[in-house]
Amino acid sequence: MSSDQRPNIVFILADDLGWADLSVYGQADYQTPHLDALAAQGVRFTQAYANSAVCSATRFALITGRYQYRLRGGLEEPLVRQAHVHGLPPEHPTLPSLLQDAGYDTALVGKWHLGSLPHFGPLKSGYGHFFGNYGGAIDYFTHKPGVGEAVPRDLYEGEVPVERVGYYTQLLADEAVDWINGKSGRRDASKPFLLSLHFTAPHWPWVGPEDEEISRSLQDLFHYDGGNLATYARMVRSLDQAVGQVLEALREQGLERNTIVVFTSDNGGERFSKTWPFTGQKTELLEGGIRVPTLLRWPARIAPQVSSQVAVSMDWLPTLLAAAGVAPDADHAPDGDNLLPVLEGRAPQYARTLFWRYKAQEQRAVRAGAFKYLKINDNEFLFDVEDDARERANLRHRHPEVFESLKRQWEAWNAQFLPITEEVFTHGVTPDIQADRYAPQKPRREL
């Protein structure tokens, strides 16, 4: 593939966006016209998953194309207290480093959350330009990771702290547009590019673009005493407008046709999200915690379609590398699949077997074809998630052979990866985890 034929890539990642938070996926209380248009122009996935029910673990899988449990940092769910010790090793091949080695210009605008300075960071893992936050969440106006004057801002350009005024979602959109437009010569127009645009929206704190006064009065960044559906709607609409701004920049630069645009979320929705028809939310391996809205547009090669192909975060590295004509690293073979043949219609859709684990409530899950094995504490289930999207009819006694087979497959899969120890569990506990949400109970009866 010649350099002038290689596609540009814009990978847009939302944070804690629920399955039905976009109107194209079922949200009726507000509209997301820019993302709806993106869906109409490209592929709308109906069975796309995140690699984890929380953010940093999924980001390890996304950037490496491999199960996050291969790396110590990927065991921290999410990576919070140990970010200075257990991050993404700079020597590990990544999507941006492999593309950069192949001649791509690379940039990350937004959230990193894969380890903190001085040992870890975007510029150490393949990105040539970075503007954003290193940690998991910051206030939308003060850009602080916590409250109080002693807490520094988590806003950087490269590895240098910076100060900007404005609502963070809009700042990220403006920075992405400036980079696409080549402002100040930061993008090499002679090269194809990868732009990772990783928003923090609609992650807490619950602050919309008109809520600067609320933002500056917060006593707790987690903001358990505030937020509502109306504020959340404003946050998602702001995200939609920001995406529209970036898509318009691609159009104005004449880059629209041969630019792959991907939009997805790092995990399922949080407390104000709409996840219908699924149950569960972030931190849970029920469908609502791991099924995510996912869109792809590439006018040059992929026709508009609705795809029921099962996909997962770690598929994006092999898929995007294949689109760019770049081979994965031979010593770090992807666990994800290249979906390009299916999306281009050169191969039929196929069944997948995917695995998850999450330390809180000792959760385990396997998706194999239509069946899903799920364990939460001492409760075990078998669901047909294609027929029973709400995971209500426990089929473990109706299909005992499938139930036992998936349990064994999970054990064999799990044995390949780093174990979750008590030390890992202690470091990773956050207020997101409701430890007593699932008390042991009798298995549900079949319906």
Side-chain angles (χ1 to χ4, degrees):
M1 184 183 299
S2 65
S3 59
D4 59 348
Q5 294 176 320
R6 291 185 295 174
N8 303 305
I9 302 166
V10 176
F11 194 98
I12 306 173
L13 191 64
D15 198 340
D16 292 1
L17 188 72
W19 168 257
D21 281 341
L22 306 183
S23 42
V24 72
Y25 277 94
Q27 178 57 259
D29 295 331
Y30 57 84
Q31 297 297 306
T32 52
H34 301 291
L35 286 162
D36 293 358
L38 183 67
Q41 295 160 3
V43 183
R44 178 168 66 87
F45 289 83
T46 61
Q47 298 195 84
Y49 288 92
N51 259 73
S52 175
V54 288
C55 45
S56 56
T58 290
R59 292 163 196 268
F60 275 96
L62 173 64
I63 201 169
T64 65
R66 293 154 65 85
Y67 278 112
Q68 59 270 27
Y69 316 111
R70 294 186 181 278
L71 294 170
R72 174 61 179 79
L75 304 183
E76 301 280 342
E77 297 181 309
L79 185 65
V80 181
R81 295 175 178 87
Q82 294 294 299
H84 62 294
V85 178
H86 303 301
L88 176 64
E91 66 274 12
H92 195 294
T94 64
L95 176 63
S97 73
L98 293 167
L99 288 172
Q100 189 179 61
D101 290 346
Y104 270 68
D105 206 354
T106 59
L108 170 61
V109 174
K111 177 174 172 176
W112 167 246
H113 208 190
L114 292 172
S116 59
L117 294 171
H119 303 298
F120 313 105
L123 301 187
K124 304 178 192 301
S125 290
Y127 287 110
H129 172 73
F130 171 62
F131 172 82
N133 59 303
Y134 277 86
I138 62 173
D139 182 83
Y140 285 86
F141 284 100
T142 68
H143 312 138
K144 295 182 178 182
V147 295
E149 292 302 320
V151 179
R153 289 173 177 81
D154 184 9
L155 188 61
Y156 287 77
E157 184 162 358
E159 298 183 351
V160 179
V162 295
E163 186 170 346
R164 299 278 181 89
V165 176
Y167 188 67
Y168 195 43
T169 302
Q170 186 60 52
L171 289 181
L172 295 181
D174 292 343
E175 179 73 15
V177 168
D178 285 348
W179 193 82
I180 290 171
N181 291 340
K183 184 177 180 180
S184 302
R186 283 179 291 179
R187 181 172 74 83
D188 186 343
S190 69
K191 296 180 178 181
F193 64 79
L194 164 68
L195 170 61
S196 298
L197 176 54
H198 294 183
F199 290 99
T200 57
H203 193 291
W204 48 256
W206 313 112
V207 176
E210 301 87 21
D211 298 332
E212 183 171 3
E213 186 174 338
I214 294 174
S215 175
R216 296 188 182 280
S217 68
L218 288 179
Q219 299 300 308
D220 184 351
L221 192 64
F222 297 121
H223 204 183
Y224 281 126
D225 62 344
N228 50 48
L229 291 174
T231 299
Y232 187 78
R234 292 196 298 272
M235 296 172 73
V236 177
R237 289 202 304 267
S238 175
L239 171 65
D240 177 71
Q241 291 167 5
V243 172
Q245 185 177 336
V246 172
L247 297 179
E248 178 63 16
L250 292 174
R251 188 192 67 79
E252 290 179 349
Q253 292 291 321
L255 301 172
E256 185 176 62
R257 178 166 174 76
N258 198 32
T259 295
I260 301 171
V261 177
V262 178
F263 177 89
T264 187
S265 180
D266 57 354
N267 47 252
E270 239 257 32
R271 68 201 77 173
F272 296 116
S273 292
K274 182 175 181 180
T275 59
W276 182 268
F278 307 124
T279 55
Q281 61 178 18
K282 177 181 178 178
T283 77
E284 299 169 352
L285 297 185
L286 290 155
E287 292 292 285
I290 54 176
R291 189 93 70 104
V292 289
T294 302
L295 310 171
L296 178 149
R297 185 186 74 183
W298 189 11
R301 284 179 55 177
I302 296 178
Q305 60 191 275
V306 176
S307 176
S308 60
Q309 174 61 54
V310 173
V312 69
S313 308
M314 62 187 177
D315 292 338
W316 291 114
L317 179 143
T319 299
L320 295 174
L321 288 183
V326 177
D329 183 83
D331 295 327
H332 298 81
D335 294 316
D337 287 358
N338 170 20
L339 301 179
L340 199 57
V342 173
L343 299 177
E344 290 188 316
R346 296 183 283 112
Q349 294 186 8
Y350 62 100
R352 303 285 299 276
T353 300
L354 300 174
F355 300 86
W356 293 265
R357 71 186 194 191
Y358 189 71
K359 58 184 176 291
Q361 291 94 39
E362 298 183 13
Q363 296 178 68
R364 306 174 179 183
V366 183
R367 169 77 194 263
F371 284 108
K372 179 180 176 182
Y373 164 73
L374 177 66
K375 182 178 187 293
I376 305 174
N377 283 330
D378 295 328
N379 305 302
E380 294 182 289
F381 310 93
L382 179 70
F383 300 116
D384 181 337
V385 291
E386 292 185 357
D387 184 60
D388 173 28
R390 289 192 62 74
E391 296 174 281
R392 286 293 184 258
N394 189 1
L395 305 176
R396 60 175 292 184
H397 300 300
R398 184 174 297 177
H399 298 290
E401 71 290 348
V402 177
F403 177 79
E404 293 298 335
S405 174
L406 294 185
K407 282 186 64 174
R408 289 193 300 270
Q409 288 183 53
W410 188 92
E411 293 287 358
W413 167 83
N414 185 57
Q416 306 173 60
F417 301 105
L418 298 173
I420 295 177
T421 64
E422 183 63 27
E423 176 258 350
V424 172
F425 181 85
T426 303
H427 285 159
V429 170
T430 75
D432 283 336
I433 298 172
Q434 302 173 43
D436 62 347
R437 179 161 183 160
Y438 287 98
Q441 55 184 266
K442 293 181 181 179
R444 299 171 180 151
R445 293 187 302 122
E446 295 178 15
L447 300 180

